[in-house]
C-alpha cells in the first residue's frame, strides 16, 4: 500500500496492528531490488502486519521526522511508536525475523 505524508498518522501511527513502512525512491537501485521481497513478506504476514511504502521524493516530511538518511529504510511501528528498523537491501529472512519480533 502506498502512503503519503498526509495520511501517515492515520494509516501508520493510529493503526491497530504493527506497520512496516518501506521508505524508497524510484531512482534507488537497492529499493527496486528489495521491493519484490517486501511484497512477498506483505503476503506472508497479511492480516498480522500492515506493509506500506512511502516515496521519499514525493513525501519529504515523514522521512525527516524519523531520521531516514539512507534508502531503502524499513521502519517497524507498533502502537504509534518506532519498534525497530532495518537499513539497506536485506534478505527476506531478515525482514521476516524483524516482523516476527513484533508479533
Amino acid at each position: 500500500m502506498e502512503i503519503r505524508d498526509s495520511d501517515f498518522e492515520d494509516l501508520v501511527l493510529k493503526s491497530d496492528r504493527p506497520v512496516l513502512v518501506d521508505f524508497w525512491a524510484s531512482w534507488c537501485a537497492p529499493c527496486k531490488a528489495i521491493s519484490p521481497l517486501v511484497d512477498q513478506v506483505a503476503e506472508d504476514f497479511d492480516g498480522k502486519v500492515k506493509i506500506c511504502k512511502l516515496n521519499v521524493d514525493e513525501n519529504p516530511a515523514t522521512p525527516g521526522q524519523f531520521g531516514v538518511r539512507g534508502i531503502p529504510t524499513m521502519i517497524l511501528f507498533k502502537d504509534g511508536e518506532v519498534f525497530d528498523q532495518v537499513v539497506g537491501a536485506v534478505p527476506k529472512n531478515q525482514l521476516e525475523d524483524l516482523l516476527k519480533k513484533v508479533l
Side-chain angles (χ1 to χ4, degrees), residues 39-59:
D39 293 341
Q40 290 172 14
V41 170
E43 287 181 27
D44 296 345
F45 286 82
D46 187 37
K48 299 175 193 161
V49 178
K50 190 187 307 182
I51 311 284
C52 302
K53 296 182 180 194
L54 187 132
N55 185 315
V56 298
D57 289 335
E58 296 171 3
N59 303 281

Side-chain angles (χ1 to χ4, degrees), residues 11-52:
L11 296 176
V12 177
L13 301 181
K14 293 181 179 177
S15 177
D16 60 350
R17 61 184 163 175
V19 183
L20 180 70
V21 180
D22 176 9
F23 292 87
W24 71 285
S26 60
W27 50 263
C28 169
C31 298
K32 290 179 182 179
I34 199 172
S35 184
L37 301 179
V38 173
D39 293 341
Q40 290 172 14
V41 170
E43 287 181 27
D44 296 345
F45 286 82
D46 187 37
K48 299 175 193 161
V49 178
K50 190 187 307 182
I51 311 284
C52 302

Side-chain angles (χ1 to χ4, degrees), residues 71-100:
I71 53 173
T73 293
M74 279 145 286
I75 301 180
L76 183 59
F77 293 86
K78 182 178 182 182
D79 300 324
E81 300 289 326
V82 173
F83 182 83
D84 205 349
Q85 71 177 24
V86 173
V87 178
V90 296
K92 182 180 177 187
N93 67 324
Q94 192 172 341
L95 288 177
E96 292 169 336
D97 291 344
L98 176 71
L99 297 179
K100 287 175 186 173

